């Protein structure tokens, strides 16, 4: 008997270097996961509920952590943990996955930059330092979570609700003055520039399509019309080809009928070396 475990990651928001964040989130989820306890007696397998026995952790021997490096100006400049804007202008990316025992699990390189041996060795040394720091943070977080669960304190999502834990955009609550909201909105609208064009009704460029807000006009309807025209042209060509083929067969049949009607057919018998000439009306149906 084996356990089948599937790890799903849902990306809510990021500012670059999603590979490293996903690797940390994935390995922490696997380390934090607990499966039901099992006992085996002969061929009988018993899976215990959490009420019967405490769930047990997975057997994870090491934590592979990814560290990303961005290269600029054909490898002249090296940057660890690039942001989303830096990823837009980088020439190449190198991702090294390593555990705290300095064992390289995988290396992935992408982009248009060619790396030399010294650059890869330098990145591997930096990765070893970063992986040791991250692994220590993960172990401390798991220990604190385990301790909080035993003491009955806040843990998991409830402990992460405070500011700067889940989202970086969360702000402290502040009082909002709701007096004279209508007048303030009117002033803001009056100061704003009017739109370049005002449409009373929505514009439907083609049946089944619509355009909302700003943006270029879509060409789905045009593509549908062109596809219909191409299909009609192909159908006309196929009909014309079928007509020509039928016409050719008709001409060939008429020519054969005229030949059979006007000229006698000569049959030869090789054994008796005789030539028998038959009139068309005397020919058997199979021979005709």
């Amino acid at each position: 008997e084996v356990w089948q475990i599937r790890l799903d990651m849902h990306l809510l928001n990021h500012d670059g270097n999603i590979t490293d964040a996903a690797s940390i989130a994935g390995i922490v989820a696997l380390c934090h996961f607990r499966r039901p306890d099992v006992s085996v007696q002969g061929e009988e397998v018993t899976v215990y509920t959490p009420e019967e026995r405490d769930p047990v952790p997975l057997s994870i021997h090491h934590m592979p952590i990814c560290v990303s490096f961005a290269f600029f100006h054909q490898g002249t400049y090296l940057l660890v943990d690039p942001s989303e804007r830096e990823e837009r202008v980088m020439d190449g990316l190198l991702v090294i996955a390593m555990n705290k025992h300095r064992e390289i699990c995988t290396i992935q390189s992408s982009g248009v930059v060619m790396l030399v041996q010294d650059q890869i060795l330098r990145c591997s040394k930096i990765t070893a330092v970063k992986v040791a720091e991250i692994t220590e943070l993960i172990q401390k977080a798991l220990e604190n979570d385990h301790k909080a669960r035993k003491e009955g304190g806040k843990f998991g999502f409830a402990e992460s609700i405070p500011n700067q834990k889940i989202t970086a955009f969360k702000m402290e609550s502040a009082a909002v003055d709701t007096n004279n909201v209508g007048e303030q909105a009117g002033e803001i609208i009056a100061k704003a520039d009017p739109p370049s064009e005002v449409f009373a009704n929505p514009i439907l460029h083609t049946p089944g399509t619509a355009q909302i807000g700003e943006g270029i006009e879509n060409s789905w309807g045009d593509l549908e019309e062109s596809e219909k025209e191409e299909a009609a042209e192909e159908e006309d060509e196929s009909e014309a080809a079928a007509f020509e083929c039928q016409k050719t067969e008709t001409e060939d049949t008429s020519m054969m009928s005229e030949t059979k009607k006007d000229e006698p057919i000569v049959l030869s018998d090789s054994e008796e070396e005789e030539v028998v000439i038959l009139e068309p009306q005397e020919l058997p149906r199979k021979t005709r």
Side-chain angles (χ1 to χ4, degrees):
E1 299 289 342
V2 297
W3 292 104
Q4 180 181 0
I5 301 175
R6 188 181 71 180
L7 178 63
D8 295 328
M9 295 189 184
H10 300 276
L11 182 61
L12 301 180
N13 190 11
H14 81 99
D15 190 30
N17 197 10
I18 188 60
T19 303
D20 296 7
S23 70
I24 296 173
I27 194 63
V28 171
L30 293 175
C31 293
H32 187 266
F33 177 73
R34 298 293 186 271
R35 64 168 179 82
D37 195 6
V38 178
S39 65
V40 181
Q41 294 180 355
E43 295 183 356
E44 183 180 355
V45 179
T46 304
V47 180
Y48 297 97
T49 62
E51 291 76 14
E52 296 174 341
R53 289 189 182 180
D54 292 336
V56 296
L58 301 177
S59 299
I60 298 178
H61 302 290
H62 65 95
M63 301 180 186
I65 305 297
C66 293
V67 179
S68 298
F69 301 88
F71 294 93
F72 304 88
H73 294 283
Q74 296 301 319
T76 305
Y77 301 102
L78 170 65
L79 180 64
V80 184
D81 189 9
S83 64
E84 191 267 340
R85 289 187 176 183
E86 293 163 346
E87 288 180 348
R88 291 184 181 182
V89 296
M90 66 183 180
D91 295 332
L93 182 69
L94 178 66
V95 181
I96 301 178
M98 183 184 296
N99 58 23
K100 66 178 183 179
H101 307 294
R102 295 177 175 265
E103 296 174 345
I104 296 179
C105 303
T106 182
I107 295 179
Q108 181 183 8
S109 178
S110 60
V112 297
V113 62
M114 298 296 294
L115 302 177
V116 297
Q117 181 179 358
D118 294 339
Q119 291 174 318
I120 298 177
L121 291 176
R122 181 188 177 193
C123 293
S124 63
K125 293 179 181 179
I126 298 175
T127 302
V129 177
K130 298 292 294 182
V131 167
E133 296 175 356
I134 296 173
T135 302
E136 185 178 357
L137 291 175
I138 292 174
Q139 291 176 345
K140 287 183 178 180
L142 293 173
E143 291 174 1
N144 294 336
D145 179 83
H146 183 67
K147 183 179 179 181
R149 289 174 184 271
K150 278 190 173 182
E151 296 176 354
K154 290 185 178 181
F155 55 86
F157 186 78
E159 192 272 335
S160 301
I161 289 179
N163 301 336
Q164 306 300 330
K165 285 294 185 72
I166 295 180
T167 64
F169 302 106
K170 185 175 178 63
M171 298 177 62
E172 294 287 348
S173 59
V176 179
D177 185 9
T178 57
N179 297 325
N180 302 326
V181 175
E183 297 178 1
Q184 295 178 6
E187 294 177 359
I188 295 174
I189 295 174
K191 293 179 181 179
D193 296 331
S196 57
E197 293 180 294
V198 178
F199 301 100
N201 298 319
I203 299 175
L204 299 179
H205 298 280
T206 55
T209 62
Q211 183 172 330
I212 300 175
E214 298 181 355
I216 60 175
E217 179 181 350
N218 67 69
S219 58
W220 295 346
D222 299 338
L223 292 175
E224 292 177 358
E225 294 296 332
S226 62
E227 290 175 357
K228 291 180 181 179
E229 293 177 357
E230 292 178 358
E233 291 178 359
E234 292 178 358
E235 186 176 356
D236 295 340
E237 292 178 358
S238 61
E239 291 179 357
F243 178 75
E244 291 293 336
C245 182
Q246 184 178 3
K247 182 178 179 182
T248 305
E249 291 179 355
T250 305
E251 293 177 354
D252 295 341
T253 304
S254 61
M255 291 177 63
M256 290 179 65
S257 300
E258 292 177 358
T259 303
K260 292 178 181 179
K261 184 177 179 181
D262 298 338
E263 299 179 359
I265 299 176
V266 181
L267 300 178
S268 174
D269 190 350
S270 59
E271 293 181 356
E272 300 179 359
E273 296 183 356
E274 293 182 347
V275 177
V276 180
I277 301 177
L278 300 178
E279 294 297 330
Q281 62 273 14
E282 298 177 2
L283 291 175
R285 186 171 184 81
K286 292 182 178 180
T287 306
R288 184 187 294 270

